[in-house]
Amino acid sequence: MKKHLIKVVLSCAVVMGSFSSCKNSSSSKNVSRATGWKINAKEGGFQYNSDFKEQETPPGTVFVEGGTFTKGKVQDDIMHDWNNTPTQQHVQSFYMDETEVTNVMYLEYLDYLKAVYPPDDPKYANIYEGALPDTLVWRNRLGFNETMTNNYLRHPAYAEYPVVGVNWVQATQYAEWRTDRVNEVMLEREGYLADDTKYKVLNGELEGTFSTEAYLNNPESVYGGEIDSLQGKQKKDSINSFAKRSSGVIMPEYRLPTETEWEYAAQALVGTREYNNYRGRKKYPWEGDYTRNGQRVGRGDQLANFKQGKGDYGGIAGWSDDGADITGQVKSYKPNDFGLYDMAGNVNEWVADVYRPIVDDEISDFNYYRGNVFMKKAIGEDGKVEILRDEIVYDTLPNGKIVAINLPGEIKEVAVTEEETYLRTNFDKSDNRGFRDGDPGSSRFFNRFSEEDGDTQKMYDSPKHKVERNEDGEIVRQYDESNYRTSLINNEVRVYKGGSWRDRAYWLDPAQRRYLPQYMATDDIGFRCAMSRVGSKSRSKKTVRHKKAR
């Protein structure tokens, strides 16, 4: 009996010892806690960046820690408008450009397109032309502004001024281009690409270009299929010759900020804990209810560049002057508490959202955004993603401007189908820009709207003009001559915010919102880029430890 008990105890000790051994070995970051297998073993198996700490701050941006705030206007409602009713929203952490995209930043983009896709090549002619800002926005029938028309974009005197004359479509394409250029730098730095590979494209030594999504899904397709000869020191390790998402090297995409992100970043409540500010009663990106500096240093100086009154775009010279009559050089005024410059004044800024008067917070109060069009990667007959080799997808905007939607080397995308949405509860179609807004269920008197020409947007029945180019390249315009259109709102109008050098102080309130068709540009609308943060909400290690302790 005693021998039996001894055997049981010994066997239990052996078992416990084995579990203890497993526990100790799995505590290593390179040993799986699920299987006990090695991670990143030279022999093969599962490869993962177990040394990843946190996302680094992308070039040109500052970190904006997410949180809750009151979205919408609650002060100076002199217009008694109803298009920004206050709602409580929560925003995830993200990164945002500390300034608007400047002329010199945009010129770098144009220079790249001109070098890689020469406009004198008929195949590429519309790529560069489609990206050019509209410099004629400065013209006025009764104003002398030809100096800005000829100089504002390219003259070095305006290098650090915000770029204008860029429509929403062009702004989103700039963000896509910027994503690829930054990720090229990251891959070179981490040894996945040879040094200065990016310059070989500019110098004409390589015919193909780099696309982030193409690299992740089919790396052999980038740089015209010459990626094997362009790999860096990581090529020595055949397992890690190409970076993947799990490598932690590839950054998320640059994009336009959502309206909710932009408004949250402009309010910058991180610098104050006052109850009224939390409830949405902060009037400007800075503290106080006035546009002039009330602090001892710089007392009386204007805190933004805006129109102070009729015929007054800056004040009396040398006294109450705000330092600019048109746009001003970025960083001319103090940043807000997030470190963001010119979140009020200077230029209005495009945001990603499609405009609607009502924010449907009953559906979403987390990362609210209207404008989702869900796409998927096109798969070829060989089971691989389709890469647009020499094919360029163009779109003719309603004003006749031709823009390139997809460039050579990028992945072809198509809309999701019923096969992907079947039995889903979170979405049931690809295009969700008009979700719950314009359908019968969103209107009390929906039966009064006629379904003309198969139009499903009954509430927002804007004119439906058709503009295209024929085989000879001539613009063919077909105007909607209906007398029953009641709105200019449709799925191609986008929100812009912030107030500008042309606007009164009323429009400097971060909650103010206006809209413009996405193909139009003006001399007082610019943009800045944003990038989502992956991983933890905060970069503060103390915050993380505090949460663990609780």
Side-chain angles (χ1 to χ4, degrees), residues 17 70 150 245 264 361 397 414:
T70 299
N150 297 326
R245 290 200 193 276
Y264 174 80
D361 62 329
L397 304 181
V414 295

Side-chain angles (χ1 to χ4, degrees), residues 155-312:
H155 198 286
Y158 294 113
E160 294 299 329
Y161 284 54
V163 67
V164 297
V166 175
N167 61 45
W168 184 92
V169 176
Q170 292 172 314
T172 58
Q173 290 171 330
Y174 169 87
E176 293 174 5
W177 168 84
R178 186 176 174 184
T179 300
D180 295 335
R181 305 292 75 78
V182 169
N183 279 326
E184 275 185 300
V185 172
M186 297 299 170
L187 290 171
E188 283 188 16
R189 188 188 71 182
E190 299 299 322
Y192 289 96
L193 289 177
D195 292 342
D196 299 329
T197 296
K198 55 186 178 296
Y199 296 116
K200 293 183 179 181
V201 177
L202 282 173
N203 297 332
E205 299 177 42
L206 293 173
E207 292 186 2
T209 59
F210 175 87
S211 165
T212 300
E213 288 300 319
Y215 178 85
L216 288 171
N217 289 273
N218 187 2
E220 293 83 1
S221 68
V222 299
Y223 297 122
E226 299 182 37
I227 185 66
D228 287 339
S229 61
L230 299 171
Q231 294 184 65
K233 60 184 179 181
Q234 292 284 355
K235 189 177 182 180
K236 297 178 181 178
D237 184 354
S238 59
I239 298 177
N240 293 317
S241 57
F242 297 116
K244 305 177 179 62
R245 290 200 193 276
S246 57
S247 304
V249 176
I250 301 294
M251 283 197 166
E253 70 278 2
Y254 282 91
R255 54 179 174 78
L256 289 180
T258 67
E259 182 182 5
T260 307
E261 287 175 334
W262 193 99
E263 190 171 327
Y264 174 80
Q267 286 192 15
L269 298 178
V270 67
T272 180
R273 296 301 178 196
E274 294 182 14
Y275 176 76
N276 282 339
N277 289 342
Y278 173 74
R279 298 300 300 170
R281 290 177 172 83
K282 187 177 181 182
K283 188 173 182 179
Y284 299 117
W286 52 84
E287 288 299 316
D289 294 331
Y290 304 99
T291 62
R292 291 190 182 276
N293 187 0
Q295 298 177 355
R296 187 171 184 178
V297 179
R299 186 184 299 274
D301 291 345
Q302 290 286 6
L303 296 172
N305 173 20
F306 64 99
K307 184 176 180 180
Q308 298 179 32
K310 185 174 178 60
D312 185 356

Side-chain angles (χ1 to χ4, degrees), residues 12-73:
C12 287
V14 171
V15 172
M16 292 299 292
S18 64
F19 275 116
S20 176
S21 174
C22 288
K23 181 178 180 181
N24 291 333
S25 63
S26 65
S27 64
S28 170
K29 61 183 178 181
N30 283 319
V31 176
S32 169
R33 290 191 291 113
T35 63
W37 286 36
K38 290 181 180 180
I39 297 175
N40 301 321
K42 293 182 179 180
E43 298 80 9
F46 182 53
Q47 302 295 313
Y48 201 78
N49 183 2
S50 56
D51 293 323
F52 184 81
K53 303 300 182 186
E54 67 173 16
Q55 181 180 353
E56 64 179 279
T57 301
T61 69
V62 296
F63 175 67
V64 179
E65 183 177 348
T68 186
F69 79 115
T70 299
K71 173 183 169 70
K73 179 167 61 67

Side-chain angles (χ1 to χ4, degrees), residues 280-541:
R281 290 177 172 83
K282 187 177 181 182
K283 188 173 182 179
Y284 299 117
W286 52 84
E287 288 299 316
D289 294 331
Y290 304 99
T291 62
R292 291 190 182 276
N293 187 0
Q295 298 177 355
R296 187 171 184 178
V297 179
R299 186 184 299 274
D301 291 345
Q302 290 286 6
L303 296 172
N305 173 20
F306 64 99
K307 184 176 180 180
Q308 298 179 32
K310 185 174 178 60
D312 185 356
Y313 288 85
I316 300 173
W319 181 63
S320 63
D321 194 7
D322 65 11
D325 38 27
I326 55 168
T327 57
Q329 184 170 323
V330 297
K331 296 188 178 182
S332 295
Y333 305 92
K334 292 181 179 180
N336 69 5
D337 289 326
F338 276 129
L340 299 167
Y341 295 86
D342 292 326
M343 294 302 285
N346 213 13
V347 292
N348 290 290
E349 298 178 18
W350 288 114
V351 297
D353 292 57
V354 169
Y355 176 81
R356 287 295 189 271
I358 299 175
V359 173
D360 192 352
D361 62 329
E362 293 183 0
I363 288 295
S364 177
D365 57 4
F366 180 78
N367 287 345
Y368 186 90
Y369 166 63
R370 178 177 289 277
N372 281 312
V373 180
F374 300 123
M375 307 289 286
K376 65 176 181 179
K377 298 173 178 61
I379 306 298
E381 296 180 357
D382 58 356
K384 297 183 179 180
V385 294
E386 290 189 32
I387 306 295
L388 297 171
R389 298 292 184 181
D390 297 322
E391 182 182 357
I392 306 172
V393 180
Y394 290 108
D395 186 22
T396 302
L397 304 181
N399 59 359
K401 192 177 186 70
I402 299 178
V403 295
I405 302 301
N406 287 105
L407 298 176
E410 294 182 348
I411 291 179
K412 181 179 180 180
E413 291 190 333
V414 295
V416 298
T417 62
E418 292 183 2
E419 184 177 346
E420 286 81 28
T421 62
Y422 179 64
L423 292 182
R424 285 190 174 273
T425 58
N426 53 338
F427 72 100
D428 58 5
K429 60 182 178 180
S430 175
D431 189 348
N432 295 274
R433 292 174 296 177
F435 177 69
R436 278 175 54 93
D437 203 358
D439 59 2
S442 67
S443 174
R444 180 182 177 187
F445 302 108
F446 68 89
N447 58 325
R448 296 183 182 180
F449 295 94
S450 62
E451 193 162 341
E452 182 181 346
D453 300 327
D455 183 11
T456 58
Q457 294 292 328
K458 299 176 182 179
M459 182 179 292
Y460 300 110
D461 56 345
S462 62
K464 300 191 181 318
H465 308 306
K466 185 177 181 181
V467 180
E468 57 186 5
R469 289 183 181 267
N470 58 22
E471 296 178 353
D472 299 326
E474 300 173 340
I475 299 178
V476 179
R477 296 184 174 90
Q478 298 179 10
Y479 294 106
D480 186 341
E481 299 180 356
S482 172
N483 294 323
Y484 300 99
R485 300 299 186 189
T486 61
S487 173
L488 293 176
I489 299 174
N490 56 34
N491 289 340
E492 278 74 45
V493 294
R494 303 286 174 167
V495 179
Y496 67 92
K497 299 172 74 72
S500 75
W501 64 275
R502 280 192 176 276
D503 294 315
R504 303 288 185 94
Y506 173 76
W507 295 104
L508 303 185
D509 187 331
Q512 293 286 10
R513 57 202 302 259
R514 289 174 283 182
Y515 67 90
L516 194 70
Q518 64 186 28
Y519 60 86
M520 295 184 69
T522 71
D523 62 359
D524 63 347
I525 299 182
F527 70 100
R528 72 179 77 206
C529 296
M531 180 186 289
S532 299
R533 175 172 171 81
V534 293
S536 62
K537 173 179 182 289
S538 172
R539 297 187 303 176
S540 171
K541 295 181 180 178

